[in-house]
Amino acid sequence: MEILLQQIINGLVLGSMYALVALGYTMVYGIINLINFAHGEVLMVGALTSWTIIGLMRDAWPTSPGWLVLFVALIISCVVASVLNFVIEKVAYRPLRNSPKLAPLITAIGMSILLQTLAMIIWKPNYKPYPTLLPSAPLQIGGAVITPTQILILGLTAVSLAVLMWLVNYTKLGRAMRATAENPRVAALMGVKPDMVISATFVIGAVLATIAGVMYASNYGTVQHTMGFLPGLKAFTAAVFGGIGNLAGAVVGGILLGLIESIGSGYIGVLTGGVFGSNYSDIFAFIVLIIILTLRPSGLLGERVADRA
């Protein structure tokens, strides 16, 4: 039971990060029907930017508290990633908005490779240790352990999701998002500016991805220019799992995928008689994707146009 409880905690932490990134995918798809495959690289740029800011702050103010350094690095990284995603939408996607579906898809893949290459040039290809800024002493919960960083991840995810749901459902921008998602031309006739709404959606997605990236780096203790590819792909799987275009579906899909991956990696050795180890945990995400696409292509919760944002 201790092992199961530990894997559930790990799965909730992992699923929380997947959910944040999956929301970026599902928001963009809900409004312009585009899968932004460069979204994982926005996560990577946010994490690497925070690593740089932390290094600069530690050199300039070596006695500053760790939580303050992490907070400042997170804010600056969110701004950098938001500007980057805004530029990506304006330069790479907006000119292709009325093109055949294949054109923006190929552009998104090309943008992903371009961002990886630029990050490799700027930050070099080697793995970099991410500083431990929060207390490392774990807390005991029924025989399992959880670190302060993991508690922060769960708390930040809950707050981010609550703020996003409030933004989408109760603000003028949220109403404009829902209107644009349902019918951009009619929304424009009613005074909504679709271009502004789409840009805002990309900015919000970048903020969520950066939060996930910084927390991912803090939890696993390393950053590198390819770190966003696999989490981005799994977050896309989570979005499809829950129902692409559905905000609640992205959250449910992310949490469930994290739990499936974590529990599966904890028991895969037992189930296969030691043939496979926990390093095969990545296969669970794509097994889930194949099953969902085969049995329920619309995802667990399906796509609800009114909630696409």
Side-chain angles (χ1 to χ4, degrees), residues 169-192:
N169 292 309
Y170 299 106
T171 66
K172 188 176 180 180
L173 176 60
R175 288 193 294 273
M177 283 179 166
R178 297 199 305 277
T180 305
E182 191 158 349
N183 194 318
R185 292 181 181 177
V186 174
L189 292 174
M190 300 298 292
V192 174

Side-chain angles (χ1 to χ4, degrees), residues 1-307:
M1 285 302 296
E2 288 84 359
I3 295 175
L4 178 61
L5 182 58
Q6 185 64 61
Q7 295 306 112
I8 289 173
I9 291 172
N10 294 340
L12 289 173
V13 171
L14 189 60
S16 297
M17 293 184 283
Y18 288 161
L20 288 175
V21 185
L23 281 167
Y25 279 109
T26 210
M27 288 171 68
V28 170
Y29 181 84
I31 288 184
I32 58 175
N33 290 331
L34 167 71
I35 302 297
N36 179 18
F37 279 115
H39 196 57
E41 275 54 56
V42 175
L43 176 152
M44 171 267 296
V45 169
L48 283 169
T49 301
S50 71
W51 176 81
T52 302
I53 298 300
I54 289 169
L56 293 174
M57 287 189 68
R58 283 192 148 183
D59 290 340
W61 298 286
T63 58
S64 54
W67 65 267
L68 180 61
V69 173
L70 185 62
F71 177 74
V72 172
L74 179 62
I75 296 298
I76 295 175
S77 300
C78 285
V79 172
V80 171
S82 298
V83 171
L84 173 64
N85 226 21
F86 177 84
V87 172
I88 289 173
E89 188 276 326
K90 197 173 183 65
V91 173
Y93 299 145
R94 189 173 296 182
L96 301 174
R97 198 173 292 164
N98 298 316
S99 302
K101 296 294 183 184
L102 193 59
L105 180 65
I106 294 172
T107 301
I109 295 171
M111 186 58 65
S112 171
I113 296 170
L114 175 63
L115 290 175
Q116 279 193 33
T117 305
L118 290 175
M120 182 179 67
I121 294 170
I122 295 170
W123 283 286
K124 309 306 177 189
N126 57 301
Y127 283 89
K128 302 158 189 64
Y130 199 85
T132 302
L133 299 173
L134 299 176
S136 56
L139 304 175
Q140 295 283 337
I141 301 178
V145 296
I146 184 170
T147 65
T149 300
Q150 291 175 324
I151 294 172
L152 178 63
I153 291 171
L154 294 173
L156 262 180
T157 300
V159 171
S160 300
L161 295 179
V163 170
L164 179 64
M165 293 304 175
W166 170 79
L167 178 71
V168 170
N169 292 309
Y170 299 106
T171 66
K172 188 176 180 180
L173 176 60
R175 288 193 294 273
M177 283 179 166
R178 297 199 305 277
T180 305
E182 191 158 349
N183 194 318
R185 292 181 181 177
V186 174
L189 292 174
M190 300 298 292
V192 174
K193 297 178 180 178
D195 286 344
M196 185 200 74
V197 170
I198 292 167
S199 295
T201 303
F202 273 80
V203 167
I204 294 168
V207 170
L208 295 174
T210 302
I211 293 171
V214 173
M215 293 299 99
Y216 191 91
S218 299
N219 192 43
Y220 293 104
T222 183
V223 287
Q224 200 237 5
H225 71 284
T226 60
M227 66 173 287
F229 177 74
L230 202 54
L233 206 54
K234 289 179 181 178
F236 168 65
T237 302
V240 174
F241 187 16
I244 189 76
N246 189 313
L247 293 180
V251 176
V252 171
I255 298 295
L256 286 178
L257 186 64
L259 288 170
I260 290 168
E261 185 177 326
S262 182
I263 293 172
S265 65
Y267 290 97
I268 189 172
V270 176
L271 295 174
T272 61
V275 176
F276 298 113
S278 59
N279 54 317
Y280 285 88
S281 62
D282 293 338
I283 66 172
F284 290 103
F286 304 108
I287 290 174
V288 167
L289 179 61
I290 292 168
I291 293 173
I292 288 295
L293 289 177
T294 304
L295 301 180
R296 189 174 171 82
S298 61
L300 292 177
L301 302 186
E303 181 180 355
R304 289 159 51 194
V305 174
D307 282 347

